[in-house]
Amino acid sequence: QVQLVESGGGLVQAGGSLRLSCTASGRTVSNPYMGWFRQTPGKEREFVSRITYDGKNSWYGNSVKGRFAVSRDNAKNTVWLQMNNPKPEDPAVYFCAAEGGLLITGTWLPRFWGQGTQVTVST
């Protein structure tokens, strides 16, 4: 089993930046993906980003494309989400996710989830 622990959430000013971290324990996260989702009350969990094991390929949700950046360090079993220029629509609980696979639609279904970290954006 893999345990995922997020950190780095908190209050960020609109237009500022914030970096979320997620470290896995239990065993090394293997292929294929690590990444992030987010969720606000009353809404479904939303895909934010994922990155391949070798770090060469990454994908982003339309709402964060061009503003957020995902990266990982397999030696540290860690994935990061750099949140640049956060907007009022970005506040949510951000969940780290790992492994799993893709549906035929391309939707990622992670196998492991973190507990989430709250991000709030001040305007």
Side-chain angles (χ1 to χ4, degrees):
Q1 291 293 321
V2 171
Q3 294 79 42
L4 303 174
V5 178
E6 303 96 336
S7 61
L11 179 65
V12 60
Q13 195 168 16
S17 63
L18 188 71
R19 191 172 80 157
L20 305 182
S21 299
C22 171
T23 298
S25 62
R27 61 167 172 81
T28 300
V29 173
S30 58
N31 288 333
Y33 306 113
M34 290 187 80
W36 299 88
F37 287 73
R38 68 185 183 185
Q39 189 170 24
T40 55
K43 293 188 176 181
E44 292 188 357
R45 197 165 291 189
E46 176 190 9
F47 168 73
V48 174
S49 182
R50 73 175 187 268
I51 186 169
T52 51
Y53 183 81
D54 60 8
K56 292 183 179 179
N57 293 290
S58 57
W59 295 261
Y60 297 90
N62 289 333
S63 59
V64 306
K65 200 173 295 183
R67 299 187 296 118
F68 291 8
V70 64
S71 59
R72 69 188 288 178
D73 184 333
N74 294 326
K76 296 180 180 180
N77 235 10
T78 297
V79 63
W80 294 275
L81 183 69
Q82 179 68 40
M83 303 173 60
N84 298 318
N85 189 24
K87 297 182 178 181
E89 58 265 34
D90 291 327
V93 176
Y94 283 72
F95 295 90
C96 178
E99 300 191 358
L102 297 180
L103 298 178
I104 195 170
T105 58
T107 300
W108 177 31
L109 291 182
R111 181 180 180 189
F112 300 107
W113 293 91
Q115 292 299 307
T117 185
Q118 177 71 51
V119 172
T120 304
V121 178
S122 66
T123 57

